[in-house]
Amino acid sequence: MGVLTMGVFPSLVGSGTLDFSFKLAEAAMAKGHTVNLWLSGNAVMMAKKGQRAFKDYSHLEKKMMELIGKGMETTVCEACAEARGYHKEDTPPGMKRASMDWYLAKTFKSDRVLHIGGE
Amino acid sequence: MGALKLCFVVQRPPYKSENARLALTHSISSQTAEIHLDDGDTIVPTLIFVGDGVLNAVKNQQAMKHYGVTSTENHIKNGLLIDMPVWICKEDMQRLGLTEAQVITDAEEMGAELKMKFASFDEIQKEMEACPHLLFF
């Protein structure tokens, strides 16, 4: 089984690209692959716990927590989060905060890297 | 123990979105990636500007004055200072009417020895082919 690292940058509400990223991560994990997820840029919206689910908007917190529970290593860009007012105490359980070098280091031992750019 | 080449390919212009800035900050962070790696392992980045992304390299940017933020010019020069190869596509410069005199060529005033490489698309293509992972911004 392989190691997939995904660098994800789009926002939660708007493009649907973040939804795609989580679906892809879930599919890869279902096949037995290891998934590392780096959330940066507007994707750090996922670093705010307690998001309310509306049927009119994408809601990924539940899915993310499920995948973290199954072993998806999920790390958010600390600077990107702080710049948007998402502090350590806002971070969902199991999510890590790190600087950008974490992402680059993860690429080192990955079989595939998918860099999913922002808007 | 080994080196992994990463190409950071910037195709978006500066300031309109966060993409170009994130390319610069992520590529520069390669300098500290080793704290997460095994001894002797290293990340070797190349930062490449293509398409509208070549506008990031325009000289004399006034981002602090107008937007209150550091300029992409400053980040590019920091990249040269840490000896990170920075390439810019000649054909795309030509397409936008940019001359070498209008873009960053070096960061001598900061003490950088490395200079901007004005590369053809063929050279860029070869560099991208040599990188196991491409990060497009």
Side-chain angles (χ1 to χ4, degrees), chain B residues 43-61:
Chain B
I43 299 285
V44 183
T46 305
L47 177 63
I48 303 171
F49 295 100
V50 298
D52 293 349
V54 300
L55 293 166
N56 285 281
V58 167
K59 270 202 294 210
N60 302 319
Q61 295 176 29

Side-chain angles (χ1 to χ4, degrees), chain A residues 75-96:
Chain A
T75 302
V76 65
C77 173
E78 190 167 24
C80 298
E82 286 294 323
R84 290 161 173 83
Y86 306 144
H87 306 298
K88 195 174 180 181
E89 60 271 24
D90 300 313
T91 312
M95 178 186 278
K96 297 175 191 169

